Amino acid sequence: MTGRTPIVAGNWKMNGLKASKGEIEAIISGLGTGPAPRAEALICPPATLVAGFAEIASSSALAIGAQDCHARVSGAHTGDISAQMLADAGASSIIVGHSERRADHGESNETVRAKAAAVLGERLTAIICVGETEAERKGGKTLEVVAGQLRGSLPEGANAANTVIAYEPVWAIGTGLTPTTGDVGEVHDMIRRELENLAGGEAAGMRILYGGSVKPSNAAELMAIDNVDGALVGGASLKADDFLAILSVYR
Ligand code: PGA
């Protein structure tokens, strides 16, 4: 027992319409059936759905989060959404630094760190993503790259209550490929040690999620690895049945 409550978080990416509320209702009803999971359940839909889903999920065991935010609270930033707005909409957590943001929007570690600081400023939980590309993995640079992202992206004041790390190898996202359990364990151990350097005594309580092609058939094996404190799930979180099946690892 680690004393850390695991998290199973769904990242819906750019998927979902108002009509998808049936999946949220099905997850809420699944959470209330059978033994209560020993993990927190979180769904991060697109920003358009955060307020509506948060209302549906209020007073349930499901938390609703968001996928990105701007580093500033308000201002002349057309098209952007602040952490304060997402908090106001009912988000409990915000993913920052997802590899798709880093790649598609050129987000640097500095940008990710500023966004994470904005999340903490609203007293929400920041889920900070790190992970190597295929070329970096093949070049033997995984530990160095992930440690660098962690050092560059962790904001001041990060602690066990407000910060979650998600290790997501870029080449495993949406591909059906996953690292070996040994490779996942090696990276998660390194992240824990690096967090000890960066956040001292808080490190022991920080959750480190694995993400990248997590599905019902591989979740138990991945979640059993030391220092894996849950999952960040993309594709398999879009269907309530698959999300609940992954969560059932913790029942
Ligand atoms: P995937 O995505 O589960 O579809 O691989 C994970 C993620 O990008 O968070």
Side-chain angles (χ1 to χ4, degrees):
M1 290 301 290
T2 65
R4 295 185 293 270
T5 303
I7 304 174
V8 176
N11 171 13
W12 277 21
K13 309 192 179 186
M14 198 170 73
N15 297 290
L17 299 170
K18 281 194 284 183
S20 320
K21 78 172 188 179
E23 298 301 326
I24 297 300
E25 287 162 348
I27 291 171
I28 292 169
S29 115
L31 281 171
T33 311
R38 291 174 286 104
E40 295 171 16
L42 170 73
I43 291 287
C44 300
T48 48
L49 297 175
V50 169
F53 284 6
E55 205 168 305
I56 296 170
S58 69
S59 72
S60 84
L62 179 66
I64 300 297
Q67 301 171 15
D68 177 49
C69 66
H70 196 276
R72 307 246 165 153
V73 172
S74 62
H77 302 286
T78 301
D80 278 312
I81 299 177
S82 72
Q84 185 183 57
M85 292 166 180
L86 293 164
D88 186 53
S92 66
S93 311
I94 305 179
I95 299 168
V96 292
H98 190 281
S99 64
E100 287 150 19
R101 300 290 316 173
R102 291 180 188 261
D104 299 354
H105 299 270
E107 292 189 7
S108 64
N109 287 330
E110 292 69 35
T111 306
V112 175
R113 178 188 218 153
K115 290 182 175 201
V119 176
L120 304 198
E122 297 305 322
R123 303 189 175 283
L124 302 184
T125 301
I127 301 176
I128 303 173
C129 302
V130 294
E132 82 286 1
T133 62
E134 186 178 20
E136 288 161 346
R137 158 87 37 196
K138 288 194 169 141
K141 301 220 168 338
T142 298
L143 296 182
E144 177 188 331
V145 166
V146 172
Q149 289 174 331
L150 202 59
R151 282 195 291 270
S153 308
L154 203 79
E156 284 287 307
N159 64 36
N162 64 19
T163 301
V164 173
I165 306 300
Y167 168 56
E168 299 204 308
V170 178
W171 54 272
I173 294 176
T175 58
L177 303 171
T178 49
T180 64
T181 53
D183 286 344
V184 172
E186 182 183 35
V187 177
H188 280 241
D189 287 352
M190 180 280 292
I191 292 174
R192 181 78 60 209
R193 286 196 305 277
E194 197 61 43
L195 287 172
E196 281 159 12
N197 295 331
L198 296 166
E202 290 298 318
M206 283 187 184
R207 275 80 60 90
I208 308 172
L209 313 184
Y210 169 78
S213 296
V214 177
K215 46 189 186 237
S217 59
N218 63 16
E221 185 182 34
L222 288 162
M223 300 304 105
I225 302 167
D226 267 2
N227 281 316
V228 172
D229 306 309
L232 181 54
V233 187
S237 72
L238 293 168
K239 291 259 169 300
D241 286 350
D242 286 349
F243 183 75
L244 288 166
I246 292 168
L247 198 64
S248 71
V249 167
Y250 292 110
R251 289 205 198 243

